[in-house]
């Protein structure tokens, strides 16, 4: 099977095989990506993030169904924790969205984090491109939910929805834990529980504080970028005047989904109108290129230095002070550049 050709022709099996090749770094993965890349850039990417237990999978299921009712095709990438035994995804999210699997307009794929601290597999971006080239209108990336490290989604999504729930204990601390800066839309799920209105008030307070004090100067932005380099895309983005909406939802009862989709649509219209969407995608392309470069260097080191035993030889020489790690690294860099 010519995977790339069949994928572009709408073959679901080819799409599945392409993502498998991407995730496992098969030799043909690069050729597949080269062939499908000219056909990407049409889908809108929606990120769903938030702490564990916030109901992200249920919300993703309801959002996907709502888009399908509008006649749009949907791709879903559910990033699950990696199994310590097989290295694959545990598939919990996919099980919870099982009702969508019979819909030919929906394609669901679970991917393992593979040790990625930001909650996203570093191959997620390529999987998004594969679904994009396949022709999906909306691609939803649901993250694993790992708290403060849950910021990588800003690199992958056009609009990021942060899902929170009442009763998380210290709500303000949860809000401050690195996710306030990345939310384009905030969703308070399980809004029928006690404390939902309190959480909305606290979110509004934090957003107002952020707007009035934290982003008042270029010096402040630079300081935040230096301290939280992983948030640079959100912090250093052009000032657009967008204030994140806060929507209350009860996902398991399908309440508030239409309002949430309207907020997502308003954000899309906003960033398409003022050029920020183009800026975000340019930043994404830059980050992806750097990631590919770093991965390629990592593979070179693994295949040419570690697997061949050269690393052990260098370690012995360094241990006996016959050389030093800085000189060795310099020599290896020169070797790679030849």
């Amino acid at each position: 099977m010519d995977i790339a050709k069949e994928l572009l022709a709408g073959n679901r099996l080819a799409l599945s095989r392409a993502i498998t090749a991407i995730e496992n770094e098969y030799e043909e993965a690069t050729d597949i990506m080269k062939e499908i890349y000219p056909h990407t850039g049409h889908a809108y990417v929606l990120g769903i993030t938030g702490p564990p237990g916030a109901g992200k999978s249920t919300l993703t299921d309801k959002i996907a169904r709502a888009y399908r009712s509008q006649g749009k095709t949907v791709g879903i990438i559910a990033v699950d924790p990696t199994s310590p035994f097989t290295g694959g995804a545990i598939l919990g999210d996919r099980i919870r969205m099982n009702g969508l699997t019979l819909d030919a307009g929906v394609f669901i794929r679970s991917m393992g984090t593979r040790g990625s601290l930001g909650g996203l597999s570093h191959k997620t971006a390529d999987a998004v491109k594969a679904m994009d080239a396949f022709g999906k209108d909306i691609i939803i990336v649901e993250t694993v939910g790992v708290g403060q490290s849950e910021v990588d989604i800003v690199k992958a999504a056009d609009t990021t929805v942060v899902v929170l729930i009442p009763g998380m204990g210290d709500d303000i601390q949860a809000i401050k834990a690195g996710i306030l800066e990345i939310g384009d839309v905030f969703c308070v799920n399980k809004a029928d529980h006690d404390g939902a209105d309190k959480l909305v008030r606290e979110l509004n307070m934090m957003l107002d504080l952020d707007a009035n004090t934290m982003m008042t100067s270029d010096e402040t932005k630079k300081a935040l970028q230096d301290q939280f380099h992983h948030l640079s895309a959100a912090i250093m983005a052009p000032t657009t005047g967008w204030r994140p909406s806060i929507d209350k939802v009860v996902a398991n009862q399908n309440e508030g989904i239409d309002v949430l989709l309207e907020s997502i649509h308003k954000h899309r219209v906003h960033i398409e109108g003022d050029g920020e969407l183009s800026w975000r995608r340019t930043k994404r392309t830059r980050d992806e290129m750097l990631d590919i470069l770093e991965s390629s260097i990592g593979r070179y080191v693994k295949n040419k230095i570690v697997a061949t035993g050269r690393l052990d030889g260098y370690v012995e020489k360094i241990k006996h002070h016959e050389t030093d790690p800085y000189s060795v690294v310099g020599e290896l860099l020169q070797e790679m550049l030849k």
Side-chain angles (χ1 to χ4, degrees):
M1 176 189 287
D2 185 331
I3 294 178
K5 182 178 179 180
E6 290 294 322
L7 183 155
L8 295 173
N11 187 324
R12 289 172 65 91
L13 178 59
L15 174 58
S16 181
R17 288 184 176 179
I19 296 176
T20 297
I22 290 165
E23 192 171 16
N24 293 287
E25 298 184 347
Y26 293 160
E27 290 183 4
E28 64 265 33
T30 299
D31 290 335
I32 293 170
M33 292 308 302
K34 287 179 181 178
E35 191 167 343
I36 69 173
Y37 192 86
H39 303 273
T40 63
H42 306 291
Y44 196 79
V45 184
L46 178 64
I48 307 290
T49 189
K56 297 186 297 296
S57 297
T58 302
L59 183 67
T60 298
D61 176 87
K62 302 304 182 185
I63 290 174
R65 292 174 187 273
Y67 278 126
R68 289 294 294 134
S69 70
Q70 297 175 8
K72 296 179 180 178
T73 57
V74 180
I76 299 173
I77 299 175
V79 183
D80 275 330
T82 298
S83 167
F85 303 105
T86 66
I90 294 175
L91 306 180
D93 290 340
R94 191 168 181 178
I95 292 169
R96 284 186 285 273
M97 290 182 280
N98 192 50
L100 290 171
T101 57
L102 298 178
D103 187 340
V106 178
F107 187 92
I108 306 174
R109 180 63 179 245
S110 292
M111 298 183 71
T113 55
R114 302 286 176 105
S116 174
L117 295 179
L120 290 183
S121 165
H122 74 288
K123 294 300 179 183
T124 302
D126 284 349
V128 167
K129 290 188 184 69
M131 289 190 180
D132 187 358
F134 185 76
K136 293 303 181 186
D137 300 314
I138 303 291
I139 299 173
I140 303 173
V141 181
E142 182 206 331
T143 68
V144 64
V146 289
Q148 191 160 351
S149 296
E150 196 70 322
V151 296
D152 273 4
I153 188 62
V154 78
K155 298 179 182 178
D158 297 319
T159 296
T160 299
V161 177
V162 174
V163 186
L164 298 169
I165 55 172
M168 292 188 299
D170 188 347
D171 292 339
I172 286 289
Q173 184 59 37
I175 294 169
K176 290 194 301 182
I179 57 175
L180 183 71
E181 295 89 345
I182 67 170
D184 299 309
V185 176
F186 286 89
C187 171
V188 176
N189 192 21
K190 305 182 183 180
D192 53 340
H193 292 190
D194 291 340
D197 291 335
K198 175 175 177 287
L199 179 55
V200 170
R201 287 196 301 270
E202 290 172 346
L203 273 169
N204 276 311
M205 181 182 70
M206 294 299 295
L207 289 171
D208 290 340
L209 176 65
D210 184 64
N212 294 330
T213 63
M214 291 181 67
M215 299 301 172
T216 54
S217 69
D218 291 337
E219 291 78 8
T220 301
K221 288 183 179 181
K222 182 61 169 63
L224 285 168
Q225 184 188 33
D226 290 342
Q227 185 174 2
F228 302 106
H229 57 88
H230 52 282
L231 294 179
S232 59
I235 292 172
M236 300 307 289
T239 302
T240 65
W242 173 260
R243 189 194 191 278
S245 60
I246 305 171
D247 298 315
K248 293 197 294 184
V249 168
V250 184
N252 63 1
Q253 297 179 28
N254 206 33
E255 294 180 5
I257 302 300
D258 290 342
V259 174
L260 178 62
L261 256 64
E262 180 62 23
S263 295
I264 293 168
H265 176 70
K266 287 179 180 178
H267 180 256
R268 177 175 182 173
V269 170
H270 182 84
I271 62 176
E272 286 177 340
D274 67 4
E276 188 185 354
L277 179 60
S278 176
W279 181 90
R280 289 185 180 206
R281 291 183 173 179
T282 299
K283 176 68 167 59
R284 183 188 308 165
T285 300
R286 179 180 180 274
D287 289 340
E288 289 173 0
M289 194 170 118
L290 288 173
D291 182 67
I292 293 169
L293 181 61
E294 290 174 2
S295 296
S296 298
I297 293 172
R299 282 195 298 272
Y300 179 91
V301 171
K302 180 179 178 180
N303 296 332
K304 301 293 185 180
I305 300 172
V306 178
T308 60
R310 292 174 63 189
L311 178 64
D312 295 332
Y314 289 132
V315 170
E316 285 298 315
K317 288 183 178 180
I318 294 170
K319 186 172 69 174
H320 292 96
H321 297 281
E322 296 173 12
T323 185
D324 61 84
Y326 312 100
S327 298
V328 170
V329 170
E331 293 172 8
L332 293 174
L333 288 174
Q334 289 296 322
E335 177 183 313
M336 285 188 281
L337 292 173
K338 288 182 180 178

